[in-house]
Amino acid sequence: MFSALMRMSLVSRIIIAIILGVGVAVVFPEATPSLSLLGDLFIKALKSVAPILVFILVLASIANFKVGQSNTAIKPIMMMYAVGMFLAALSAVVSSMLFPSTLFLDIAAQADLQPPGSLVEILKNLLLSFVANPVVAIAEANFIGVLAWSVALGIAFRHASDTTKTLLNDAAFAVNYVIRLVISFAPVGIFGLVAVTFAESGLDTLTSYAHLLAVLLGTMAFVALVINPMLVALVTRHNPYPLVFTCLRESGITAFFTRSSAANIPVNLDLAKRLGVKESTASIAIPLGAAINMAGASVTITVLSLATVNTLGISVDFTTMLILSVVATISACGASGVAGGSLLLIPLACGLFGISSDIAMQVVAIGMVISVLQDSTETALNSSTDVLFTTAVDRASN
């Protein structure tokens, strides 16, 4: 039976874990307190690997970006990637304001949590986090500091030798391996978390998860069907929807089921060739997009961070939300290539509001519960956008 379970996909195992967790909570509610250890271990493991994940993956991604790239189409494609992710994050902000979500969190240890008093205080804390000692930033899970140092060192290593860059790639591969190992235990941790949560909160949990998932998927659909077509129309000056629907049908559907932008690169390269994109452009822009173009991830990071803020009763003005959108855009570029990788960057955004890593990791665990649909839809948006924007810029340049 164990061998059969291990041969199943992660999504299938998570679904089974959720069903079993709900069943145990209903039939044996008195046994659920002992299951909390499974969830605690999973959250602790996520908390330990997340800072290193952000540091290594962002550093390696920036360091291995080609210096002096001569292809003139790459810069406008990169600009579309960046603008698309930022507008996706802004859309998530608006969705969260119109349909605020709350989460079931264990916040007993954070009873003394004080929300930021003003935008000036948030900016002050942000600047202090940026200049934190890198070793201390990783040890204390100061994700803003970790991001600052990874970006700075990544820029410095862009001019390093090929041997050094190979070492950084190997380090990123090793971190990804550890992340995959941790996430492979997600069904066990989710089983414990679901059992305990449902035993304590009952059917209210289902309502909370359904609402959160609706906001996430609705925002991603808005980005795919409104934001992206608007950007493509501005670039090509033509009706964008035939191209949009082609990319969603031929790239988005396969990405939905593979749940990996990297695995969908061959599909996108083949589609780009059939759409007439120059090979010299597609061979660079599409693999680059699979690594850094993460509009779906920016939506996930923003929505779950604001749901946490709303749950904790932290008052946030729109200017602060704009800052959150920028942070979500930057951090989304460092999303891991594994399923659920964007969830591990939520603590970085939560750090803007002084939310502890302990609480942020509970939010990551909640994200794992809904990732059955969230992560598949996110990947479909990310991957289809890669080939969509690449094709739009190539057609505009002809």
Side-chain angles (χ1 to χ4, degrees):
M1 185 180 294
F2 179 77
S3 298
L5 283 173
M6 293 308 295
R7 287 194 296 269
M8 297 174 68
S9 68
L10 180 64
V11 173
S12 299
R13 282 182 279 149
I14 288 178
I15 292 174
I16 292 173
I18 293 172
I19 294 172
L20 290 176
V22 174
V24 169
V26 173
V27 180
F28 306 107
E30 67 282 355
T32 54
S34 60
L35 297 175
S36 63
L37 177 62
L38 297 176
D40 292 341
L41 287 173
F42 180 56
I43 291 174
K44 186 72 172 179
L46 290 173
K47 182 180 176 182
S48 65
V49 300
I52 300 175
L53 167 78
V54 173
F55 183 75
I56 295 296
L57 292 188
V58 174
L59 192 160
S61 176
I62 295 175
N64 284 280
F65 183 75
K66 299 294 184 182
V67 179
Q69 180 57 253
S70 58
N71 192 320
T72 56
I74 299 302
K75 287 185 178 179
I77 292 173
M78 288 282 290
M79 182 62 68
M80 284 194 75
Y81 286 167
V83 172
M85 285 190 290
F86 178 72
L87 292 179
L90 274 183
S91 300
V93 166
V94 175
S95 298
S96 297
M97 292 174 65
L98 293 176
F99 310 101
S101 303
T102 56
L103 309 172
F104 289 96
L105 302 172
D106 179 13
I107 57 176
Q110 295 292 319
D112 59 345
L113 180 68
Q114 295 296 323
S118 63
L119 176 60
V120 174
E121 184 179 344
I122 292 176
L123 292 175
K124 177 183 175 182
N125 293 336
L126 185 62
L127 290 174
L128 290 175
S129 297
F130 268 124
V131 297
N133 181 290
V135 177
V136 175
I138 292 176
E140 296 182 351
N142 171 11
F143 285 88
I144 302 298
V146 169
L147 181 65
W149 276 99
S150 61
V151 169
L153 289 174
I155 293 172
F157 275 117
R158 286 176 63 186
H159 303 278
S161 65
D162 290 340
T163 304
T164 302
K165 292 181 179 180
T166 300
L167 175 63
L168 292 175
N169 274 334
D170 289 343
F173 177 81
V175 171
N176 261 318
Y177 177 82
V178 175
I179 293 297
R180 287 187 176 93
L181 184 63
V182 171
I183 291 181
S184 68
F185 286 96
V188 178
I190 287 172
F191 167 71
L193 291 168
V194 169
V196 173
T197 302
F198 271 83
E200 293 178 351
S201 305
L203 293 178
D204 289 342
T205 307
L206 276 178
T207 305
S208 172
Y209 287 170
H211 181 274
L212 179 63
L213 192 58
V215 173
L216 281 167
L217 300 189
T219 304
M220 291 181 196
F222 179 80
V223 172
L225 299 175
V226 178
I227 298 297
N228 286 353
M230 179 184 68
L231 292 174
V232 171
L234 287 174
V235 170
T236 63
R237 305 295 180 182
H238 289 93
N239 178 11
Y241 283 100
L243 179 59
V244 168
F245 290 136
T246 297
C247 293
L248 287 174
R249 183 180 65 252
E250 300 198 27
S251 173
I253 292 176
T254 56
F256 182 90
F257 290 103
T258 62
R259 302 176 76 222
S260 170
S261 294
N264 212 47
I265 288 176
V267 175
N268 281 350
L269 288 174
D270 178 68
L271 176 58
K273 182 178 180 179
R274 287 187 281 116
L275 290 172
V277 179
K278 290 189 278 294
E279 184 178 354
S280 59
T281 298
S283 63
I284 297 172
I286 287 178
L288 186 62
I292 66 170
N293 181 35
M294 302 288 177
S298 65
V299 169
T300 297
I301 293 167
T302 303
V303 169
L304 286 171
S305 298
L306 289 177
T308 310
V309 167
N310 189 47
T311 301
L312 298 175
I314 299 175
S315 178
V316 183
D317 57 31
F318 192 75
T319 305
T320 307
M321 291 185 180
L322 286 177
I323 297 174
L324 172 62
S325 299
V326 174
V327 171
T329 300
I330 296 172
S331 58
C333 295
S336 171
V338 300
S342 62
L343 298 173
L344 298 176
L345 295 164
I346 290 171
L348 195 157
C350 286
L352 277 175
F353 309 100
I355 298 171
S356 73
S357 181
D358 289 331
I359 286 183
M361 284 306 167
Q362 291 182 52
V363 180
V364 172
I366 290 173
M368 290 287 183
V369 173
I370 63 173
S371 66
V372 173
L373 287 176
Q374 169 269 324
D375 191 57
S376 294
T377 307
E378 176 185 308
T379 306
L381 174 60
N382 292 342
S383 192
S384 62
T385 302
D386 295 342
V387 68
L388 173 66
F389 286 174
T390 299
T391 305
V393 171
D394 185 78
R395 289 183 176 179
S397 63
N398 291 335

